[in-house]
Amino acid sequence: RKEVEQDPGPFNVPEGATVAFNCTYSNSASQSFFWYRQDCRKEPKLLMSVYSSGNEDGRFTAQLNRASQYISLLIRDSKLSDSATYLCGDSSASKIIFGSGTRLSIRP
Amino acid sequence: DVKVTQSSRYLVKRTGEKVFLECVQDMDHENMFWYRQDPGLGLRLIYFSYDVKMKEKGDIPEGYSVSREKKERFSLILESASTNQTSMYLCASSQLTGDRFSYEQYFGPGTRLTVT
């Protein structure tokens, strides 16, 4: 089993919709988690850090479920500019283990 | 604002050449990382460093070496470039971390290396 797993997608949703995707992790001792956004041929940019049960920033909400070992990312009122690949990361000592990413495409 | 810069955005080298990729961060971060990213394989850690002159192997260190002589600079070296090292190389930095805790990493813009 991979340490961090994501559905590769693509998720194709209309503008204005709410979309959510999950990321499962295998290290039950993990203390911190991250969501990054990566545009095509660009570097990953930090979207959100999750150190406890969850985090919210505007239209974006991250939830941590320790019992089932997954973190989720919810995007409300999606915009065309939200189209990107979303990477989740699970901390492991001084490193982050990244998933392979979920592709999201928002259509007009 | 965190700034991580990489020496080149695009690089083309020949098989067998020695290649240097440079990364500089301006946030006084202790940790620095080198990844490569290939379609379908995600981000794979090559090497990381948590202090000057310290280095640790990541998941795929074969064919690479690193150097960290100054806190702000972390270099990735391909001793003898091969075609299977054609990839996007990303550098990142973060604050010093605890045993089971990691702070967020900030990435440079990447170097797209082609080995012919």
Side-chain angles (χ1 to χ4, degrees), chain B residues 88-102:
Chain B
M88 167 74 117
Y89 289 88
L90 288 156
C91 174
S93 73
S94 75
Q95 291 174 263
L96 188 64
T97 55
D99 284 342
R100 291 181 299 165
F101 186 88
S102 180

Side-chain angles (χ1 to χ4, degrees), chain A residues 51-83:
Chain A
Y51 296 110
S52 57
S53 60
N55 199 356
E56 187 172 328
D57 184 5
R59 298 183 293 111
F60 298 84
T61 301
Q63 289 285 341
L64 170 61
N65 185 317
R66 288 196 185 275
S68 300
Q69 293 187 208
Y70 72 86
I71 56 170
S72 62
L73 180 67
L74 180 81
I75 305 174
R76 288 180 295 277
D77 187 24
S78 53
K79 313 287 184 197
L80 294 175
S81 57
D82 294 333
S83 296

